[in-house]
């Protein structure tokens, strides 16, 4: 799960050309525009990641009130990717001293020890998500199953150690399609279909179930009989503006999860499962493949991977959302979102 609010330190500060009142702070892989002289290098800060939804009633965020929106019947501020005076700004940093409730919890701990702790709940901050189209909603069977891992890869900006520990590791690279998360599973003779957050009942109007049925995925999973969850992206008409210009709707698989072993299958094991399902009649598509190579050959630094993220999508006339990198054994993955995409669709 994404950690929206973390305590970090300012790694660097650089000037912005032709800007007198603002400058740029670097916090790990992120660049954030700040007021001039507000921070020094190595200062601790509270970092709020993009897509954080900040409560408007918290006075510490009142300086952003002109950007307030209404989301899920609440007023607040959604942090977006911006360009200010030509400088990319992603997220928000504020002085740690402004948050005594966080300071009370960390109680003098070293930054390295609390780096991965998420304080969003403490500050009543939620992850902003686009409204779900009516065709993807429906009657809820229950919450997302606890025996399956949710699909929410970490962003590369939050994983600096990858460029230290994984340069010689073999990665599979695929296109990140802009759609809606979908999971179809078989577990102990039960078949289920889920959106991002909910296990859904089968109803005639629900697109996820209709696509799962039409692609014969329900039947083939039953015949296969293994406790497996297929996860992927539902794309097409009525979903996220249909950037791929697809006629109808289709499910593109990007992962297979072994429910019994509680782990993702590796690249080759996933392909074997999909071939078995096709033998039982499933009509399965996979997200577009880009490469299999070690990270050192593809891009050994953040700037190179961000540049690589921008390119054509499934539809060659559409620029993609980004790329997903998975170790060939399935045990580590991260996403690299195109900055072009983030800027173009920041109001989406």
């Amino acid at each position: 799960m994404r950690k929206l609010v973390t305590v970090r330190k300012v790694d660097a500060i650089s000037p912005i050309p032709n800007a007198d009142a603002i400058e740029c702070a670097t916090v790990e892989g992120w660049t954030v525009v700040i007021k001039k002289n507000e921070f020094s290098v190595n200062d601790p800060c509270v970092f709020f990641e993009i897509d954080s939804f900040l409560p408007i009633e918290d006075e510490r965020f009142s300086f952003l009130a002109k950007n307030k929106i209404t989301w899920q019947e609440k007023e607040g501020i959604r942090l977006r990717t911006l360009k200010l005076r030509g400088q990319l700004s992603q997220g928000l940093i504020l002085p740690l001293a402004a948050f005594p409730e966080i300071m009370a919890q960390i109680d003098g701990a070293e930054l390295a020890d609390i780096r991965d702790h998420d304080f969003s709940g403490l500050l009543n901050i939620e992850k902003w998500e686009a409204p779900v189209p009516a065709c993807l909603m429906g009657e809820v069977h229950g919450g997302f199953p606890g025996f399956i891992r949710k699909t929410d890869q970490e962003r590369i900006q939050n994983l600096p150690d990858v460029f230290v520990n994984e340069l010689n590791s073999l990665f599979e690279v695929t296109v990140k399609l802009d759609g809606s998360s979908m999971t179809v599973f078989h577990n102990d003779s039960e078949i289920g279909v889920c959106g991002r957050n909910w296990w859904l009942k089968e109803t005639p109007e629900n697109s996820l179930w209709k696509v799962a049925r039409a692609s014969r995925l329900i039947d083939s999973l039953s015949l296969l009989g293994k406790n497996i969850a297929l996860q992927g992206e539902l794309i097409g008409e009525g979903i996220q503006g249909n950037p791929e210009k697809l006629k109808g709707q289709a499910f593109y698989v990007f992962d297979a999860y072994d429910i019994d072993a509680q782990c993702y299958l590796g690249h080759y094991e996933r392909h074997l499962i999909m071939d078995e399902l096709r033998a039982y009649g499933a009509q399965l598509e996979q997200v577009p493949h880009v490469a299999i190579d070690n990270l050192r050959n593809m891009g050994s630094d953040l700037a190179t991977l961000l540049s690589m993220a921008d390119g054509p999508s499934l539809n060659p006339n559409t620029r993609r959302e980004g790329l997903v990198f998975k170790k060939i054994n399935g045990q580590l993955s991260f996403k690299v979102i195109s900055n072009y995409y983030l800027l173009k669709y920041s109001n989406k």
Side-chain angles (χ1 to χ4, degrees), residues 139-159:
E139 295 183 40
V140 171
H141 176 88
F144 193 89
F147 50 81
I148 304 172
R149 196 177 301 171
K150 276 192 178 183
T151 61
D152 196 6
Q153 280 99 356
E154 185 62 273
R155 292 175 186 255
I156 183 59
Q157 287 93 334
N158 291 328
L159 299 173

Short mmCIF file of all heavy atoms in Angstrom, two decimals, residues 139-159:
data_model
loop_
_atom_site.label_atom_id
_atom_site.label_comp_id
_atom_site.label_asym_id
_atom_site.label_seq_id
_atom_site.Cartn_x
_atom_site.Cartn_y
_atom_site.Cartn_z
N GLU A 139 -23.30 -4.36 -6.75
CA GLU A 139 -23.55 -4.88 -5.41
C GLU A 139 -22.27 -5.49 -4.85
O GLU A 139 -21.56 -6.24 -5.54
CB GLU A 139 -24.66 -5.92 -5.45
CG GLU A 139 -26.02 -5.35 -5.86
CD GLU A 139 -27.10 -6.41 -5.81
OE1 GLU A 139 -27.09 -7.22 -4.86
OE2 GLU A 139 -27.95 -6.42 -6.72
N VAL A 140 -21.99 -5.19 -3.60
CA VAL A 140 -20.74 -5.62 -2.96
C VAL A 140 -20.97 -6.93 -2.22
O VAL A 140 -21.89 -7.05 -1.40
CB VAL A 140 -20.22 -4.54 -2.00
CG1 VAL A 140 -19.06 -5.05 -1.18
CG2 VAL A 140 -19.82 -3.30 -2.79
N HIS A 141 -20.12 -7.91 -2.51
CA HIS A 141 -20.13 -9.16 -1.74
C HIS A 141 -19.40 -8.97 -0.42
O HIS A 141 -19.80 -9.53 0.61
CB HIS A 141 -19.45 -10.26 -2.57
CG HIS A 141 -19.31 -11.57 -1.86
ND1 HIS A 141 -20.29 -12.53 -1.86
CD2 HIS A 141 -18.31 -12.08 -1.07
CE1 HIS A 141 -19.90 -13.58 -1.14
NE2 HIS A 141 -18.70 -13.32 -0.65
N GLY A 142 -18.33 -8.16 -0.46
CA GLY A 142 -17.56 -7.91 0.75
C GLY A 142 -16.33 -7.08 0.41
O GLY A 142 -16.16 -6.62 -0.72
N GLY A 143 -15.48 -6.86 1.40
CA GLY A 143 -14.23 -6.16 1.16
C GLY A 143 -13.30 -6.99 0.28
O GLY A 143 -13.55 -8.17 0.03
N PHE A 144 -12.25 -6.35 -0.21
CA PHE A 144 -11.28 -7.08 -1.04
C PHE A 144 -10.75 -8.26 -0.23
O PHE A 144 -10.38 -8.12 0.94
CB PHE A 144 -10.14 -6.15 -1.44
CG PHE A 144 -9.28 -6.71 -2.54
CD1 PHE A 144 -9.59 -6.47 -3.86
CD2 PHE A 144 -8.16 -7.48 -2.25
CE1 PHE A 144 -8.80 -6.98 -4.89
CE2 PHE A 144 -7.37 -8.01 -3.25
CZ PHE A 144 -7.70 -7.76 -4.58
N PRO A 145 -10.69 -9.45 -0.83
CA PRO A 145 -10.32 -10.66 -0.06
C PRO A 145 -8.95 -10.53 0.60
O PRO A 145 -7.97 -10.13 -0.03
CB PRO A 145 -10.31 -11.76 -1.13
CG PRO A 145 -11.17 -11.25 -2.23
CD PRO A 145 -11.00 -9.76 -2.23
N GLY A 146 -8.90 -10.91 1.87
CA GLY A 146 -7.64 -10.84 2.59
C GLY A 146 -6.62 -11.85 2.16
O GLY A 146 -5.43 -11.72 2.47
N PHE A 147 -7.05 -12.88 1.40
CA PHE A 147 -6.11 -13.91 0.95
C PHE A 147 -5.46 -13.57 -0.39
O PHE A 147 -4.72 -14.37 -0.95
CB PHE A 147 -6.81 -15.28 0.87
CG PHE A 147 -8.11 -15.28 0.11
CD1 PHE A 147 -8.14 -15.34 -1.27
CD2 PHE A 147 -9.32 -15.23 0.81
CE1 PHE A 147 -9.34 -15.35 -1.96
CE2 PHE A 147 -10.53 -15.24 0.12
CZ PHE A 147 -10.54 -15.30 -1.27
N ILE A 148 -5.72 -12.36 -0.91
CA ILE A 148 -5.09 -11.90 -2.15
C ILE A 148 -4.45 -10.54 -1.87
O ILE A 148 -5.04 -9.70 -1.19
CB ILE A 148 -6.11 -11.76 -3.30
CG1 ILE A 148 -6.85 -13.06 -3.53
CG2 ILE A 148 -5.41 -11.31 -4.59
CD1 ILE A 148 -8.01 -12.95 -4.51
N ARG A 149 -3.28 -10.32 -2.42
CA ARG A 149 -2.62 -9.03 -2.25
C ARG A 149 -3.21 -8.02 -3.24
O ARG A 149 -3.45 -8.34 -4.40
CB ARG A 149 -1.12 -9.17 -2.50
CG ARG A 149 -0.29 -7.99 -1.99
CD ARG A 149 1.19 -8.24 -2.19
NE ARG A 149 1.64 -9.45 -1.51
CZ ARG A 149 2.84 -9.99 -1.67
NH1 ARG A 149 3.70 -9.44 -2.51
NH2 ARG A 149 3.17 -11.07 -1.01
N LYS A 150 -3.44 -6.81 -2.77
CA LYS A 150 -3.95 -5.76 -3.66
C LYS A 150 -2.87 -5.33 -4.65
O LYS A 150 -1.68 -5.40 -4.35
CB LYS A 150 -4.41 -4.54 -2.85
CG LYS A 150 -5.82 -4.65 -2.30
CD LYS A 150 -6.27 -3.30 -1.79
CE LYS A 150 -7.69 -3.35 -1.27
NZ LYS A 150 -8.15 -2.01 -0.85
N THR A 151 -3.32 -4.84 -5.80
CA THR A 151 -2.37 -4.40 -6.83
C THR A 151 -2.09 -2.91 -6.64
O THR A 151 -2.89 -2.07 -7.00
CB THR A 151 -2.95 -4.63 -8.23
OG1 THR A 151 -4.16 -3.86 -8.38
CG2 THR A 151 -3.28 -6.09 -8.44
N ASP A 152 -0.98 -2.59 -6.07
CA ASP A 152 -0.60 -1.19 -5.89
C ASP A 152 0.91 -1.11 -5.75
O ASP A 152 1.46 -1.00 -4.66
CB ASP A 152 -1.29 -0.60 -4.66
CG ASP A 152 -1.25 0.93 -4.66
OD1 ASP A 152 -0.78 1.51 -5.66
OD2 ASP A 152 -1.68 1.53 -3.67
N GLN A 153 1.61 -1.18 -6.90
CA GLN A 153 3.07 -1.16 -6.85
C GLN A 153 3.60 0.17 -6.33
O GLN A 153 2.99 1.22 -6.54
CB GLN A 153 3.66 -1.40 -8.26
CG GLN A 153 3.69 -2.85 -8.66
CD GLN A 153 2.52 -3.19 -9.57
OE1 GLN A 153 1.67 -2.36 -9.82
NE2 GLN A 153 2.49 -4.41 -10.07
N GLU A 154 4.73 0.11 -5.67
CA GLU A 154 5.40 1.31 -5.18
C GLU A 154 6.01 2.06 -6.36
O GLU A 154 6.39 1.48 -7.37
CB GLU A 154 6.48 0.91 -4.18
CG GLU A 154 7.18 2.08 -3.52
CD GLU A 154 6.23 2.94 -2.69
OE1 GLU A 154 5.62 3.86 -3.29
OE2 GLU A 154 6.12 2.72 -1.48
N ARG A 155 6.09 3.37 -6.22
CA ARG A 155 6.75 4.18 -7.25
C ARG A 155 8.26 4.11 -7.07
O ARG A 155 8.77 4.05 -5.95
CB ARG A 155 6.28 5.64 -7.16
CG ARG A 155 4.82 5.83 -7.56
CD ARG A 155 4.42 7.27 -7.33
NE ARG A 155 3.00 7.47 -7.57
CZ ARG A 155 2.48 8.06 -8.64
NH1 ARG A 155 3.27 8.53 -9.58
NH2 ARG A 155 1.18 8.21 -8.76
N ILE A 156 8.97 4.18 -8.20
CA ILE A 156 10.42 4.06 -8.17
C ILE A 156 11.04 5.18 -7.34
O ILE A 156 12.09 4.99 -6.70
CB ILE A 156 11.00 4.07 -9.61
CG1 ILE A 156 12.51 3.88 -9.60
CG2 ILE A 156 10.63 5.35 -10.35
CD1 ILE A 156 12.99 2.60 -8.94
N GLN A 157 10.40 6.36 -7.26
CA GLN A 157 10.97 7.47 -6.49
C GLN A 157 11.11 7.13 -5.01
O GLN A 157 11.91 7.75 -4.30
CB GLN A 157 10.09 8.73 -6.64
CG GLN A 157 10.20 9.41 -8.00
CD GLN A 157 9.14 8.93 -8.97
OE1 GLN A 157 8.63 7.82 -8.85
NE2 GLN A 157 8.79 9.77 -9.93
N ASN A 158 10.33 6.15 -4.55
CA ASN A 158 10.37 5.77 -3.14
C ASN A 158 11.30 4.59 -2.87
O ASN A 158 11.34 4.09 -1.74
CB ASN A 158 8.96 5.43 -2.65
CG ASN A 158 8.06 6.65 -2.59
OD1 ASN A 158 8.52 7.76 -2.33
ND2 ASN A 158 6.78 6.45 -2.86
N LEU A 159 12.00 4.12 -3.89
CA LEU A 159 12.83 2.93 -3.74
C LEU A 159 14.28 3.19 -4.18
O LEU A 159 14.79 2.56 -5.11
CB LEU A 159 12.25 1.78 -4.58
CG LEU A 159 10.84 1.32 -4.20
CD1 LEU A 159 10.32 0.31 -5.22
CD2 LEU A 159 10.82 0.72 -2.80
#
